[in-house]
Structure formats: structure tokens, C-alpha cells
Amino acid sequence: MRQKRKGRPTNTSRRERISPLTVARLSLYLRHLEELAAQGQSMVSSRQLGDALGLTDVQVRKDLASFGQFGRPGVGYEVNGLVRRLREIFGTERVWDVAVVGVGSIGRALLAFKGLVKKGFHVAAAFDKDPRKIGKRVSGVLVRPMTELAVTVRRKGIRLAVLAVPASAAQEAAEDLCQAGIKGILNFSPVRLNLPDHVAVVPVDLAAKLQQLNYFIGPPKSRQG
Amino acid sequence: MRQKRKGRPTNTSRRERISPLTVARLSLYLRHLEELAAQGQSMVSSRQLGDALGLTDVQVRKDLASFGQFGRPGVGYEVNGLVRRLREIFGTERVWDVAVVGVGSIGRALLAFKGLVKKGFHVAAAFDKDPRKIGKRVSGVLVRPMTELAVTVRRKGIRLAVLAVPASAAQEAAEDLCQAGIKGILNFSPVRLNLPDHVAVVPVDLAAKLQQLNYFIGPPKSRQG
């Protein structure tokens, strides 16, 4: 449990060779390559990829080489081929069902986010404790009671969940998700979850992101002198 | 422009001694210390902080020592004092006004997110291009046309913006934000922004987070062989 960094999932046993930072860069490469493919570009060099993403060409080649030799020296990478290979690496050559737990403002935003399907994810079920929300449809998805979590997750074979409940309810809801068989949780609740090692957790803390941004901007000019 | 990592803001000139990963850990410490303070705990050791956050006590002491000597050997850190000092470091001992650009699903979630004020941020203005949204109030905040961005940002002295427009509109909206005098952008749009170095950008890519989670879970059992 030691030496973990923020954003590092709990479960890295299967794939611990590759650092979370490398995996984060791979998703940047994939996003940019998808844009290039949409524009009809067929080849790209490590230099062009690096320039577009603020990385060195050495870093790009090193990251991609961890997963096999895709590029050809002096020629570069075939865009569509690399998109396919990166989707295989992420397992998103197919679409995965996702459960959203907590239909508040964040949960609603995720339910309304149609762009997810192109990235390999489909919100297949939503859950909330609030009787006023249960039974309603939000962006076409039925809101179910938490008591139906386990049976729904099993029936639909869902592996991924988005946890978007208030901090006070997060640990309990996360334990319910584990018991229901969820393997990975994207955690929007501003608490650190205490879960078994076989469940991966990736945190998203929006207030922390704003704090970090504010730090990098520094104090206002009037206070700098 | 070279050697930048995902999540590293463009503008680090003022504060480049401290790495973005350290800053991310500082916001974890602050969040946990705020919880301890709310529970009435007055002292905490580097070991306790580390255990709660999955870090070593050495890492905790090193991170906090970058900003001065707060702890006392064998005694630990005074919780309220360290909360105050970390808020000073982030500049969130006061509340900063934030502009939200793009009142879609993500923008609405941010506008509804009341917990931000406790973290030092207040959504003071919202902007959209869509005439059907302009003039309405969302979570109490008036939605203004983009043409009022510059004058509103200047009048309210806003430094921070959340960019939550579709990918195709992101670069243009980000340039408008720079021209209006915004210093830092939390970017939810799934594109890399090309902006002057004096504007800090922190990206939040939810699809990428799900991809990373899916990577760490690995292939389904049936495909593992």
C-alpha cells in the first residue's frame, strides 16, 4: 500500500510494468491520433506527435515501444494502425458498460455525455438512494434504487462504475460496488476510498484541480512585489 | 515547450521549483487535514498522514518541508496550522471567482457544485453562445453571451475559468478567455489548447480517465487465457 501516488489505481498487479503516467500519456496519444484520423492523415512521426502534445520525440518513441514496435524509422507511425493498437491496449476496441452511482449534478453530466461511446464507454445503468429520483429516466437511462445494484451489475456484466455521491455516502456506496462485482471505480467523491486491492480506483477531484491551477498562477500582481 | 507532461500547466515560470505531482499531493494533504480538523483532531504525524493517503512518511515530510518547517520531530503537525499554511500556499485562504464557459452538462454540474466555496472557489459568471441559454439563470448564476466575457472578467477581477465547450469550439473560446485576461483554465474540452505561456492550463479528460481505469483492470477473465 506504500509509495502510491495520487491517481495511481489500487490494482496494478496485472499491469505493473507500465507506470500510471505512461498510461496517461497513451490516452493523450490516442486522442490526438483519433483527431488526425478524422482529418484523413495517414502517417505521423514521433516528432509531430510530440510537438502536438508538448513531449519530446524520444519520450513518444519510448512510450510506444513499451507496447511493441509500431513505428518505422524515418517514416513514422501509420495513424489508423496505431489507433487500433492503442484501443486494444486500453481494451476499448469494444464498448464497455458503465454504472453511474449518484444522480446529482456530476452524475447527470456523465449521463448526458454522449461523447463517451466514441471513446469505448456506454452508461448502461444509474443508481441513487433518493426515492424522488428512482424510477425516472435521466438522458434516457432509468434511475434504479441501490438495492438493485448487485443484480443489475451481474445481469449486464458491468465492470466499471462512476461514483458521484456526497463524501459522507462514498465509502458505503463504494463497498456496495465492490460486493456487486465492480472492478474499477472512477471516484468523483472527495474522499479516499478504503477498498480491497483487486478493485482499481481512479480519483477525479475537481476542487483539487482548481487549487492546483490557482497555485500555478501564483499570487495576484498586487501581492507579488 | 518540451518535456511537458499531461496535467502540467503551461505556466510554471513563477513556481517551477515544485513539481506538479508534489502540488497534487499537497491538495490531497489539505483535503485530508480539513477532514481531520472537522473531526476535532488537533495533531497528526507524517506516518498517520501517509497511511491515510497511501504515501510513505518520508514522502510526506519531504513534500511539506519544501514549504518550510511545519512539523515538530516526535510530535507531528498541528492540524489547523497546517490547513492554514496549505491554504496560503494554494492562495485559497480567500475565495476566488471562477467563470464557467459552456453551460452544457459539465458546465451545469460545476454551477451546481456548492462544495467549491469551502475549497476557495465561487462560480461568479457563466457564458454560452446559445441564445436559448443566454439570460437564464442556472443554479442562480446568470448565463451571459460570449460577447460580455471580457467586460465581465475585468469588472469582477476573475482569474480562473472552467472551459466546458465542445471540442470544435474549445480553441476559439480559450483564446477569448486569454484576451479577456484569464490567467488559468481548467479544460474539460478533449483538445490540447494552444495558448500563450503566461496562461496556465490544467486538463480534465473524463474519457481518458475511464480508458486508464479500463487499462488497469485488464482484459476480462474469459480473454486472459
Side-chain angles (χ1 to χ4, degrees), chain A residues 95-118:
Chain A
V95 174
W96 294 95
D97 281 342
V98 176
V100 167
V101 174
V103 187
S105 53
I106 293 281
R108 280 173 197 276
L110 268 293
L111 285 160
F113 184 9
K114 298 304 172 203
L116 277 184
V117 168
K118 275 191 291 183

Side-chain angles (χ1 to χ4, degrees), chain A residues 1-6 9 11-12 14-15 18 20-21 23-25 27-28 30-31 35 47 51-56 67 89-93 96 105-106 109-110 112 116 119 121 159-160 183-186 188 190-192 200 202-220 223-224, chain B residues 1-6 9 11-12 14-15 18 20-21 23-24 27-28 30-31 35 47 51-57 67 89-93 96 105-106 109-110 112 116 119 121 159-160 183-186 188 190-192 200 202-220 223-224:
Chain A
M1 291 290 285
R2 288 302 173 108
Q3 295 280 21
K4 281 190 303 195
R5 284 193 298 264
K6 178 170 188 271
N11 171 14
T12 52
R14 280 196 202 116
R15 304 178 143 221
I18 309 296
L21 284 174
V23 177
R25 283 194 301 272
S27 53
L28 281 185
L30 177 53
R31 191 176 78 186
E35 286 166 19
R47 170 67 63 96
D51 280 350
L53 300 170
L55 300 161
T56 64
F67 295 91
I89 289 166
F90 285 118
T92 53
E93 74 278 23
W96 294 95
S105 53
I106 293 281
L110 268 293
L116 277 184
K119 300 292 183 175
F121 303 99
R159 308 181 336 146
L160 296 167
K183 301 283 181 281
I185 298 173
L186 190 63
F188 281 88
V191 290
R192 187 169 192 274
V202 168
V204 185
D205 185 334
L206 301 178
K209 292 272 181 194
L210 279 170
Q211 284 170 351
Q212 291 157 31
L213 192 57
N214 209 44
Y215 173 83
F216 286 111
I217 296 173
R223 275 162 52 196
Q224 270 182 68
Chain B
M1 289 292 285
R2 289 300 172 109
Q3 294 278 21
K4 279 189 305 192
R5 282 194 299 263
K6 178 171 187 273
N11 170 14
T12 52
R14 281 195 200 116
R15 303 178 146 224
I18 309 295
L21 285 173
V23 176
S27 52
L28 280 184
L30 177 54
R31 191 175 80 186
E35 287 166 18
R47 170 66 64 96
D51 281 349
L53 300 171
L55 300 163
T56 63
D57 51 339
F67 294 90
I89 289 166
F90 284 117
T92 54
E93 74 277 23
W96 294 95
S105 53
I106 293 280
L110 268 294
L116 277 185
K119 301 291 183 174
F121 303 99
R159 308 183 336 148
L160 297 167
K183 301 281 181 282
I185 298 174
L186 189 63
F188 280 89
V191 289
R192 188 168 191 276
V202 168
V204 185
D205 185 334
L206 300 178
K209 293 273 180 192
L210 278 171
Q211 284 170 349
Q212 291 157 30
L213 192 56
N214 209 44
Y215 174 84
F216 286 112
I217 295 173
R223 276 164 51 198
Q224 272 182 61

